[in-house]
């Protein structure tokens, strides 16, 4: 074909671009004789993360009380938190989605087909005068990201990217349509794991882990002796199941509801999945069967035992594949065991981790980032939303951000924007000074707790009306122990729950924020204990034979360990206000200061630098904008 013919064909394709009018589609679906349909203004209370500016496009929003102002609904993927509000009686508008999602809506939720319109992937479509492109989201089958090109005045277009739920991968950078949205006006971002602690492994690595465990234990025990349980959603985690089946050469047993979904997805031929439990030792179970995952994992060994007895197995191995079970550990894949039961917590997430989110935003370089996940993100002016956007400092179009802050771009009120910007600057200055003071306090006190510091320290000895009964305390201690590594001592658990006022969630969260410090405490104790056992038999006094001397050593170790163990729990509030990168730097500074101060003490008797010199050291770093970059 000649170049001219190719150009003509391309032009014809552009002419043939599908053009849709959602209002007309809706009227046709209603069998209405009316040719026009008017809608009231979009209410100011509508969540800004669920609609595209300067349009009536509503995204993953079917349960909002205000639904009479649009006929254009978009569904990013088939998960209940997105399609909540849909039912067989749906008739409020046209639902635009991918082909797979449309099949799931019609065949599973029984949505009337006339209200569902499937759009192609990687192919621009005009909807109500706006160009709409669907691209893969790498989340669950049928999930898509939505790209919108919205015409405004003077022939100018605004470009918006709505990620839905997505897992970023490098291949997205090669999508020509997404490349066309570099420098877009805003990203509506799936911020599920926008936390520096959430740097879990790639999906491939997590899948390899599950396959290796199933293969190893399966060969060790043989068939019909060990049962593997894999927790999944109704739609999702299919990648794990397919790879286990393919590489371990086994079928996967699923229930009727899961099989219904799999048939829609094209896996109903019986080669990979079966509803006959006797055909496989690998069974799919509901999400909460193996335990609760939020706010921390709590295993359910009782149900596992019931399943084992009912099905006649000797051992049960479970897998919970989700990023929510991931903690900052030396071992990426945690395992909880009891008797003949194992639960592997596999951070195989279908959402982007922290580094991937930053990489995605860096690639697109948007003018604004709008979070879509979180209880208070419906308010773009909230401190929570503002704090999240700070993770992307330097990755967005800073010049545009200065002209029109994200929290004001839906309102267009210049006075409000100026006031918000002024308040935000003042807040950043106050926060910076506060962090400087806190860092200084931690360094100068050398991990000692000031007797006058009553704002941060919780005194366990003081009378507290919230202290539970002895029986309840033991229950809390045991439940906390089940959620922590085996090396954690009872004294540390007591310190955690005591300083957290017996709140298990807070105690577990505090532990994982300071896991390294707690591990070092145990290491210190073991070092002392090893030293005492290794005492020379020729010594005049033997530790094992001298009860008084041994008692003195033990008391000394306990005292030192107690002093160290107080610091993480008593300083939790301070440490939360200091970024991980600054925390690491401060630790290094303290170590260096201790070495230098020893030589200075002989002459000056002081190990604390002056306030002036301290602030002169920190101001150059903080003047860069107070970024909290994570160090690998």
């Amino acid at each position: 074909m000649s170049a001219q013919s190719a150009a003509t064909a391309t032009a014809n394709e552009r002419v043939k671009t599908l053009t849709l009018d959602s209002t007309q589609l809706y009227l046709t679906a209603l069998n209405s004789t009316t040719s026009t349909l008017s809608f009231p203004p979009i209410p100011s209370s509508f969540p800004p993360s669920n609609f595209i500016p300067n349009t009536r496009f509503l995204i993953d929003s079917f349960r909002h009380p205000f639904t009479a102002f649009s006929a254009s609904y978009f569904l990013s993927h088939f998960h209940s938190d997105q399609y909540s509000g849909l039912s067989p009686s749906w008739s409020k508008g046209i639902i635009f989605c991918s082909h797979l999602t449309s099949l799931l809506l019609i065949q599973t939720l029984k949505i009337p087909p006339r209200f569902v319109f499937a759009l192609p992937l990687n192919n621009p479509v005009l909807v109500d005068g706006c160009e709409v492109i669907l691209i893969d989201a790498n989340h669950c089958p049928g999930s898509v990201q939505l790209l919108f090109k919205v015409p405004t005045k003077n022939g100018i277009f605004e470009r918006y990217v709505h990620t839905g739920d997505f897992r970023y991968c490098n291949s997205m950078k090669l999508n020509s349509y997404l490349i066309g949205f570099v420098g877009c006006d805003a990203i509506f971002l799936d911020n599920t794991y926008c936390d520096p602690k959430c740097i879990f492994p790639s999906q491939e690595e997590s899948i390899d882990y599950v396959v290796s465990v199933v293969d190893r234990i399966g060969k060790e025990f043989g068939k019909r002796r060990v049962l593997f349980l894999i927790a999944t959603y109704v739609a999702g985690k299919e990648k794990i199941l397919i790879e286990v089946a393919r590489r371990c050469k086994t079928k996967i047993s699923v229930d009727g509801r899961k099989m219904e979904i799999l048939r829609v997805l094209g896996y109903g031929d019986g080669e990979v999945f079966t509803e006959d439990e006797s055909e496989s030792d690998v069974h799919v179970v509901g999400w909460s069967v193996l335990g609760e995952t939020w706010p921390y994992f709590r295993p359910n060994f009782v149900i596992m035992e019931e399943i084992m007895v009912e099905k006649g197995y000797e051992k049960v191995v479970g897998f919970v594949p989700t990023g929510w079970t991931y903690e900052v550990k030396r071992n990426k894949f945690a395992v909880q065991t009891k008797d003949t039961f194992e639960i592997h917590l596999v951070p195989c997430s279908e959402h982007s981790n922290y580094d991937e989110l930053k990489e995605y935003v860096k690639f697109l370089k948007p003018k604004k980032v709008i979070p879509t996940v979180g209880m208070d993100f419906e308010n773009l002016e909230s401190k929570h939303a503002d704090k999240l956007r700070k993770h992307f400092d330097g990755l967005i179009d800073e010049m545009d951000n200065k002209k029109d802050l994200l929290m004001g771009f839906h309102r267009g009120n210049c006075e409000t924007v100026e006031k918000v910007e002024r308040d935000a600057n003042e807040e950043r200055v106050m926060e910076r000074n506060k962090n400087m003071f806190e860092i200084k306090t931690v360094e100068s006190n050398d991990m000692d707790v000031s007797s006058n510091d009553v704002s941060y320290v919780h005194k366990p000895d003081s009378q507290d009306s919230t202290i539970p009964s002895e029986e309840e305390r033991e229950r809390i201690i045991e439940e906390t122990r089940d959620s922590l590594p085996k090396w954690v001592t009872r004294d540390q658990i007591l310190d955690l729950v005591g300083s957290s006022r017996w709140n298990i969630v807070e105690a577990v969260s505090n532990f994982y924020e300071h896991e390294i410090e707690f591990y070092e405490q145990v290491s210190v104790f073991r070092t002392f204990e090893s030293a005492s056992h290794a005492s020379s038999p020729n010594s005049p006094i033997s530790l094992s034979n001298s009860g008084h001397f041994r008692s003195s050593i033990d008391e000394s170790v306990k005292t030192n360990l107690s002093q160290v163990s107080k610091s993480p729990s008593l300083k939790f509030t301070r440490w939360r206000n200091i970024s991980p990168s600054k925390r690491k730097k401060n630790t290094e500074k303290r170590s260096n200061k201790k070495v230098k101060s020893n030589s200075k003490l002989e002459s000056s008797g002081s190990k604390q630098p002056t306030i002036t010199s301290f602030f002169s050291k920190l101001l150059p770093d903080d003047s860069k904008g107070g970024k909290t970059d994570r160090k690998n």
Side-chain angles (χ1 to χ4, degrees), residues 39 69 106 156 193 229 241 260 293 349 354 381 469 542 615:
F39 298 99
F69 54 84
I106 295 169
I156 299 174
Y193 291 115
L229 301 178
L241 304 179
E260 183 182 359
T293 59
S349 178
Y354 181 71
E381 300 177 12
S469 65
S542 171
F615 276 90

Side-chain angles (χ1 to χ4, degrees), residues 521-535:
Q521 294 169 19
V522 177
S523 298
V524 169
F525 181 80
R526 288 173 178 169
T527 300
F528 274 103
E529 193 175 47
S530 298
S532 64
H533 283 298
S535 177

Side-chain angles (χ1 to χ4, degrees), residues 38-59 61 64-73 410-411:
S38 60
F39 298 99
I42 296 176
S44 59
S45 60
F46 196 88
S49 61
N50 291 113
F51 77 91
I52 304 302
N54 299 316
T55 74
R56 291 186 181 272
F57 296 160
L58 309 185
I59 317 297
S61 184
H64 198 275
F66 303 101
T67 55
F69 54 84
S70 178
S72 308
Y73 293 81
H410 278 290
R411 301 192 175 34

Side-chain angles (χ1 to χ4, degrees), residues 197-213:
K197 294 187 294 184
C198 298
I199 313 294
F200 39 76
S202 66
Q203 286 182 329
E204 292 74 18
E205 185 178 354
S206 296
I207 291 173
D208 287 345
Y209 175 81
V210 176
V211 170
S212 66
V213 173

Side-chain angles (χ1 to χ4, degrees), residues 496-507:
L496 278 166
V497 295
S499 62
S500 303
R501 302 198 179 204
W502 301 92
N503 184 312
I504 299 176
V505 174
E506 184 177 344

Side-chain angles (χ1 to χ4, degrees), residues 431-446 574 578 582-583 585-590 593 600 607-623:
E431 183 178 353
R432 183 177 64 200
N433 292 338
K434 177 183 176 183
N435 285 343
M436 289 179 182
F437 173 76
E438 290 170 347
I439 295 170
K440 176 64 181 175
T441 304
V442 173
E443 290 185 347
S444 62
N445 286 345
D446 195 25
R574 279 199 186 101
I578 304 175
K582 287 185 178 180
R583 206 176 295 162
K585 291 178 182 178
N586 295 334
T587 305
E588 294 172 352
K589 287 182 180 179
R590 284 201 300 275
K593 283 188 177 183
K600 292 181 180 180
K607 64 178 181 179
Q608 178 177 342
T610 63
I611 296 295
T612 304
S613 62
F614 172 76
F615 276 90
S616 66
K617 289 180 180 179
L618 289 185
L619 279 174
D621 291 335
D622 285 338
S623 65

Side-chain angles (χ1 to χ4, degrees), residues 274-292:
T274 177
E275 293 183 66
D276 185 353
E277 293 184 348
S278 64
E279 289 190 52
S280 175
D281 292 331
V282 182
H283 295 189
V284 172
V285 294
W287 191 247
S288 59
V289 169
L290 298 178
E292 297 295 330

Side-chain angles (χ1 to χ4, degrees), residues 60 75-79 82 97-102 104 121-122 134-146 162-167 172 190 203 235-236 238-239 265 350-351:
D60 297 335
L75 178 60
S76 63
H77 63 286
F78 192 76
H79 275 169
Q82 269 68 37
C97 56
S98 70
H99 175 67
L100 270 180
T101 301
S102 72
L104 291 168
L121 264 65
N122 298 303
L134 275 58
I135 66 172
D136 183 56
N138 190 33
H139 182 64
C140 67
S143 62
V144 293
Q145 299 180 70
L146 303 161
H162 198 295
T163 66
D165 286 354
F166 85 123
R167 180 76 190 259
M172 291 180 183
D190 169 19
Q203 286 182 329
E238 286 79 13
K239 292 179 182 178
L265 300 179
E350 294 173 328
H351 296 268

